[in-house]
Amino acid sequence: MGGMSPLPIHKAATSLALEEWRKQVVSNRLKGWEELAFKQSHNSLEQDDNAHHAEPFTALGLSRRIVRWIAADDQAINVVESPLFREILLYASTSPHPLTNKDILHRTHAHDLLVREYEMEIQRLRDELKAKALGRISFTCDLWSSQDLSGYFALSVHYCKRDSQERLTLSSRLGAFRNLTGQHTGRNLAEEFVAVLEELDIIDKPGCITIDNASNCGTMMEEITRILTAKGIPFHREGNHLRCFPHVVNISVRHGLSALTEIQLPTTSSASERAGLGASQVACMAAAASIPIDPLLLPRSDTLPDASTNSALQDDPGYAAALQDDPIKMARDLISVCRSSGQRREELQRTIAEGNQARRFGPGVVIPQAQLLRDVDTRWSSTFLMIDRLLELYPAVEAFLQKPGYDTEAAHLLTPTELDVLEDIRGYLLIPHRVQELLSADQSPTASMVLPAYEELLDLLKLARSKYPKISHAIDASIAVLERYMGYTRQNRVYALAMMINPAVKISWLKRNWNAEEVQAAESWMIEAMLAYCTRERQEQSQLGTSTAACAPGPSSSLLHLAARSASGRSSPTLLTPPSAPPSRSSRAQSAGFASLQELRRELSSSSIPSTTSDSNSQGERSTHASQRESEHDSEAEHEARLVEADKRTVEDELQRYVQEELSNWDVDLLYYWDTHARSFPYLFRVALDILPVQASSVTSERVFSSSKETDTLRRTGLDAAMMEILQVLKYAINQEAREARKPRVTPPPSRSASEATLRHDEMIDSAEASRLIHSGRYCEFLRLVHQVHGDSA
């Protein structure tokens, strides 16, 4: 028995020595210390919360725990790039004591804090809209269905304010992401909209609402008008209603695509024709029934152009037959054949790689290593991108389906005539694709570009009729839809005011494109808008005497007190001239976009009063005082009429000085311009504050829905509707605050639109090559490939 006692003592001594060795290696950071430190504490969370962790912190230990969490919890690898995730780690690192498991919140506490954060966010938004929002507040709204088909109503708010540096900025927030029960009628939507306005305490300053063209949207605007009018709040169902520009373009494109196949060949005979109804008319009615249109603008009884008068098409029966067979459907079928299995997708990739290497596609021709795309009705430009990609990869597709074993599938290959038809369709669809992307920004004003964009689109489509005469009937169908919407747009004074507050446009564009009566009407609209603020300012000054400088700024009171401070010796920091600033990213992107349209225009065409320097405020005061002296003995009504007339002369003079000022460049930053010209044109500035937040598109709501899909995943379908709203409002607010803080004023515009880049971002790594590298243990080569494709730094 005694001879066995030294063994455990020896083991204990060995264990102590080993532990001492580990401590020395880790503490002195000798070779292999990080691996050793990680092994010592990979189960540290299981330890007693009060026990001090034996493992000292290492960067490798932290990184390995993060990647294990990514793998085990289905997190995106890109989560490590999240500023908020990195903020959490940096914050935890400032703790003077090691954290324990008890320091980390659990689900119950997380729910509590999310609700509190939401409560604070809504209160912050309410306070900011009440105290800091300059001018009227504009909105976008739309409907979305979750995976369990629950309906949600998203409402974004857009307004001007001054940031922490007193610069004029455009801000947007998600005001509500409300679960809707019952039918989605216009009445229910209107009641929900007004309820949100009341919750945010902005019921008295609604601006324009930008929405799509669904029939319930028109009913919603009627109901909002009825409700607000009953409350004494001015609102008009058409004057405050803007139709989303990209949606309108998409509708025109869908009408054009539906008209493509409306071909009546000489040999065609059917019961409908014998009854006196042409086949093209039958097809037109059937196709039009599936396209969402605004019933207020486009009655379904209206007739759109068809191919019956297209002489170029009638002279080419082969082309007409190919068009009648629906080449877009044939393209979809061909793409489906090539994408029907993983094996076929891989084989197409091999065909591309082998063909490029052997130069089989022609001298100097390199086909991109990409996959074919499918189109989606609800996604703008997706049909163009589908056709564009197919034609780009077609030599490889043809080589792929001509391989042994694909005899049946090869029947889907297109004839040369069908390829010619697709080439023409691609050229036609390229035009709305380019124009659509111009007005999808929400960080900069876009409403002033709507009328020029409509006119540019119409002009380019008319040029395209000459370049692609055999599909001119389809182009004419798109033009017919756009012209009807254009007729409405020219009657909406918001667009005219938006044009006039753009110093690169003013009334010059209107004079070139409108008749004299329309230009005069636009000028009278601007004078009327300015006069309302001028008269209100005078009345407030009359009530408050000379103490207007003490009046707090707000949407219902004029901001001219800011300019008045300099005259009284109390300068206002908000009107100090800021340093010169380059155009914003969005304005530069819009300028680059219009430049690309001009290039496209060239391609299509190849086929076929003294200024015065007196201060406006002093002039207004002199006119007002003179009118007051003249009307001392007049009646109150006559006295007010004289004052209003003086106000009108004041604003007319201001507008005249603004119009006569030299035009700015197209890439002018509108926010910066009006920030630096608030004193020169004070009443125009007030109008600008109302117009600048107006959205040309409802893209903000679309982005909210795209973000909501990331929350509404299969493993979160049990998320209740209220928590869904809390998460979306907080997510939008956090992301917007980060975007606004970055202020990317000098970033060059992207070379490709975001939607196009998203659709084209596929199959970036060759799966076969990646598998070979991994399975053969060549991990370093695989990582180099990954970093190269994603543009990671070494």
Side-chain angles (χ1 to χ4, degrees):
M1 296 288 293
M4 297 181 65
S5 58
L7 185 59
I9 294 175
H10 174 70
K11 283 186 175 180
T14 302
S15 178
L16 288 173
L18 186 59
E19 182 62 29
E20 182 61 29
W21 171 77
R22 289 188 181 119
K23 288 183 179 179
Q24 289 297 323
V25 171
V26 172
S27 61
N28 292 297
R29 301 194 173 190
L30 301 177
K31 183 178 180 180
W33 72 276
E34 290 185 319
E35 288 282 345
L36 188 60
F38 184 78
K39 290 178 180 178
Q40 282 182 327
S41 61
H42 70 280
N43 292 324
S44 59
L45 282 178
E46 313 299 332
Q47 300 175 1
D48 181 6
D49 286 336
N50 296 319
H52 182 72
H53 295 302
E55 176 198 9
F57 174 85
T58 68
L60 177 62
L62 173 64
S63 299
R64 292 188 68 175
R65 283 167 172 79
I66 291 174
V67 297
R68 284 163 61 85
W69 165 65
I70 288 174
D73 206 43
D74 296 318
Q75 298 295 325
I77 297 176
N78 204 43
V79 72
V80 297
E81 301 296 337
S82 166
L84 292 177
F85 174 77
R86 303 181 80 85
E87 181 183 328
I88 291 171
L89 299 183
L90 293 174
Y91 180 76
S93 69
T94 64
S95 172
H97 305 290
L99 300 180
T100 67
N101 196 31
K102 290 182 179 178
D103 294 319
I104 304 172
L105 79 170
H106 289 280
R107 183 180 63 241
T108 303
H109 193 199
H111 274 97
D112 294 343
L113 289 180
L114 279 171
V115 173
R116 293 179 191 174
E117 285 290 330
Y118 172 77
E119 180 183 10
M120 289 189 292
E121 172 57 32
I122 291 298
Q123 188 58 51
R124 279 195 299 267
L125 177 59
R126 187 183 293 116
D127 293 343
E128 180 163 291
L129 292 173
K130 196 68 176 176
K132 296 184 179 180
L134 308 175
R136 294 190 175 275
I137 298 169
S138 289
F139 310 89
T140 73
C141 57
D142 208 342
L143 291 172
W144 176 75
S145 296
S146 63
Q147 290 201 46
D148 64 358
L149 302 182
S150 296
Y152 287 89
F153 175 70
L155 175 65
S156 65
V157 295
H158 305 263
Y159 52 98
C160 288
K161 69 173 185 179
R162 294 198 177 276
D163 62 12
S164 58
Q165 301 178 41
E166 293 298 336
R167 297 181 303 185
L168 186 65
T169 60
L170 186 60
S171 187
S172 66
R173 289 293 183 271
L174 182 60
F177 193 80
R178 198 63 46 86
N179 177 232
L180 285 180
T181 58
Q183 293 183 328
H184 297 167
T185 63
R187 186 185 197 117
N188 289 341
L189 294 176
E191 291 174 351
E192 200 65 58
F193 177 87
V194 174
V196 174
L197 263 59
E198 290 176 333
E199 292 171 16
L200 296 177
D201 198 15
I202 53 175
I203 190 72
D204 59 334
K205 48 183 178 182
C208 292
I209 306 175
T210 304
I211 48 181
D212 61 24
N213 305 279
S215 59
N216 58 351
C217 292
T219 309
M220 182 186 83
M221 294 302 299
E222 291 180 4
E223 284 297 313
I224 293 175
T225 302
R226 182 185 62 79
I227 296 172
L228 294 184
T229 302
K231 295 177 179 289
I233 300 169
F235 194 86
H236 192 274
R237 70 177 190 180
E238 288 300 324
N240 293 80
H241 178 193
L242 299 188
R243 287 150 177 88
C244 172
F245 177 81
H247 274 96
V248 171
V249 175
N250 191 45
I251 288 173
S252 73
V253 168
R254 292 180 65 182
H255 274 288
L257 293 179
S258 71
L260 272 173
T261 57
E262 296 162 16
I263 309 300
Q264 187 175 358
L265 298 177
T267 57
T268 301
S269 179
S270 65
S272 59
E273 286 182 277
R274 289 191 294 271
L277 190 61
S280 61
Q281 293 173 299
V282 174
C284 180
M285 290 187 292
S290 64
I291 301 175
I293 58 176
D294 189 334
L296 294 177
L297 302 179
L298 299 175
R300 293 192 183 276
S301 59
D302 284 6
T303 302
L304 293 175
D306 58 31
S308 60
T309 58
N310 189 342
S311 58
L313 184 62
Q314 300 294 335
D315 293 341
D316 192 340
Y319 192 103
L323 200 56
Q324 190 178 42
D325 288 338
D326 196 346
I328 295 180
K329 181 181 182 302
M330 296 172 67
R332 291 191 187 105
D333 293 341
L334 176 59
I335 291 169
S336 296
V337 165
C338 296
R339 290 176 55 106
S340 62
S341 68
Q343 292 86 351
R344 291 185 180 180
R345 291 164 64 103
E346 293 168 6
E347 183 64 30
L348 176 59
Q349 294 300 295
R350 280 194 294 272
T351 304
I352 295 174
E354 293 168 358
N356 286 335
Q357 187 174 8
R359 298 184 179 180
R360 293 175 188 155
F361 306 127
V365 176
V366 178
I367 294 180
Q369 199 80 16
Q371 285 288 349
L372 297 168
L373 300 173
R374 288 193 175 104
D375 64 337
V376 181
D377 281 344
T378 56
R379 191 156 196 177
W380 306 328
S381 294
S382 64
T383 301
F384 161 75
L385 294 173
M386 177 191 72
I387 296 173
D388 186 52
R389 176 65 63 83
L390 174 61
L391 293 174
E392 186 178 36
L393 303 186
Y394 193 79
V397 171
E398 189 173 33
F400 160 51
L401 291 184
Q402 287 176 347
K403 290 183 176 181
Y406 290 104
D407 296 340
T408 303
E409 291 78 5
H412 290 277
L413 288 172
L414 305 176
T415 66
T417 302
E418 290 164 349
L419 286 173
D420 289 342
V421 174
L422 278 184
E423 287 282 3
D424 288 354
I425 295 173
R426 175 172 65 173
Y428 150 53
L429 294 180
L430 173 63
I431 299 169
H433 168 69
R434 289 271 181 88
V435 176
Q436 235 168 359
E437 299 297 332
L438 284 174
L439 304 179
S440 296
D442 61 354
Q443 286 291 99
S444 64
T446 54
S448 65
M449 294 294 101
V450 171
L451 286 172
Y454 268 126
E455 295 284 5
E456 190 71 19
L457 177 56
L458 284 169
D459 287 348
L460 290 173
L461 288 175
K462 290 173 183 177
L463 288 173
R465 286 188 303 193
S466 299
K467 186 167 185 177
Y468 311 111
K470 296 173 186 177
I471 60 169
S472 61
H473 61 287
I475 300 174
D476 284 337
S478 289
I479 290 174
V481 173
L482 286 170
E483 286 179 338
R484 295 176 196 180
Y485 274 98
M486 188 65 181
Y488 156 78
T489 304
R490 291 167 71 133
Q491 297 172 16
N492 191 315
R493 66 176 61 193
V494 170
Y495 289 121
L497 298 182
M499 291 281 292
M500 296 180 73
I501 65 166
N502 188 330
V505 183
K506 299 180 182 178
I507 63 172
S508 61
W509 186 93
L510 299 177
K511 287 183 176 179
R512 288 196 306 270
N513 294 276
W514 288 10
N515 60 43
E517 292 182 0
E518 290 174 323
V519 174
Q520 185 177 3
E523 289 181 314
S524 67
W525 291 341
M526 177 59 79
I527 290 173
E528 181 181 339
M530 296 169 65
L531 182 60
Y533 284 114
C534 182
T535 301
R536 179 186 299 175
E537 177 71 11
R538 173 181 52 76
Q539 292 172 346
E540 290 175 351
Q541 290 177 353
S542 176
Q543 294 172 0
L544 299 177
T546 59
S547 61
T548 55
C551 178
S556 60
S557 63
S558 175
L559 297 179
L560 295 181
H561 70 285
L562 297 175
R565 290 186 183 180
S566 60
S568 61
R570 289 170 290 178
S571 61
S572 170
T574 59
L575 287 181
L576 293 177
T577 303
S580 177
S584 69
R585 174 179 177 176
S586 298
S587 61
R588 292 179 64 185
Q590 288 177 4
S591 178
F594 271 102
S596 71
L597 293 182
Q598 294 307 310
E599 179 64 29
L600 185 58
R601 174 189 288 273
R602 285 191 289 271
E603 294 176 8
L604 293 170
S605 299
S606 64
S607 65
S608 57
I609 305 173
S611 178
T612 176
T613 58
S614 61
D615 182 81
S616 62
N617 285 336
S618 61
Q619 288 181 358
E621 290 172 5
R622 286 197 300 269
S623 299
T624 300
H625 294 327
S627 297
Q628 288 173 342
R629 287 194 301 270
E630 292 172 3
S631 58
E632 287 179 354
H633 303 290
D634 292 342
S635 66
E636 184 176 345
E638 292 173 335
H639 178 62
E640 179 62 24
R642 290 179 183 274
L643 294 178
V644 170
E645 189 62 30
D647 293 340
K648 186 175 181 180
R649 288 195 296 270
T650 298
V651 299
E652 287 175 341
D653 174 72
E654 180 179 316
L655 180 60
Q656 188 70 7
R657 288 188 295 107
Y658 169 72
V659 169
Q660 290 178 347
E661 188 184 68
E662 185 178 354
L663 291 176
S664 303
N665 294 326
W666 271 96
D667 60 356
V668 63
D669 187 329
L670 295 186
L671 292 167
Y672 177 77
Y673 176 88
W674 284 110
D675 201 7
T676 55
H677 289 75
R679 184 183 307 187
S680 301
F681 309 113
Y683 299 116
L684 278 165
F685 175 64
R686 289 303 307 273
V687 177
L689 291 178
D690 289 339
I691 301 299
L692 291 173
V694 174
Q695 300 294 294
S697 74
S698 58
V699 68
T700 304
S701 299
E702 301 289 343
R703 288 172 180 160
V704 169
F705 298 152
S706 297
S707 174
S708 303
K709 293 176 184 177
E710 298 172 5
T711 306
D712 184 43
T713 59
L714 286 174
R715 66 176 185 169
R716 303 185 75 180
T717 52
L719 200 65
D720 64 85
M723 187 56 68
M724 185 70 172
E725 178 169 14
I726 288 172
L727 291 173
Q728 298 318 303
V729 170
L730 286 176
K731 185 198 298 189
Y732 191 93
I734 292 169
N735 291 335
Q736 277 299 109
E737 287 169 1
R739 290 177 65 190
E740 292 171 5
R742 287 194 293 268
K743 295 290 182 188
R745 287 184 179 269
V746 296
T747 306
S751 59
R752 173 184 295 164
S753 69
S755 63
E756 182 177 356
T758 300
L759 287 173
R760 292 182 180 273
H761 187 82
D762 55 10
E763 300 297 325
M764 296 181 65
I765 300 178
D766 182 83
S767 58
E769 182 181 359
S771 297
R772 284 194 300 271
L773 294 175
I774 287 293
H775 298 154
S776 61
R778 295 153 65 187
Y779 304 118
C780 292
E781 294 180 47
F782 170 71
L783 286 175
R784 279 197 295 271
L785 176 63
V786 172
H787 295 323
Q788 177 184 352
V789 168
H790 289 279
D792 298 335
S793 57

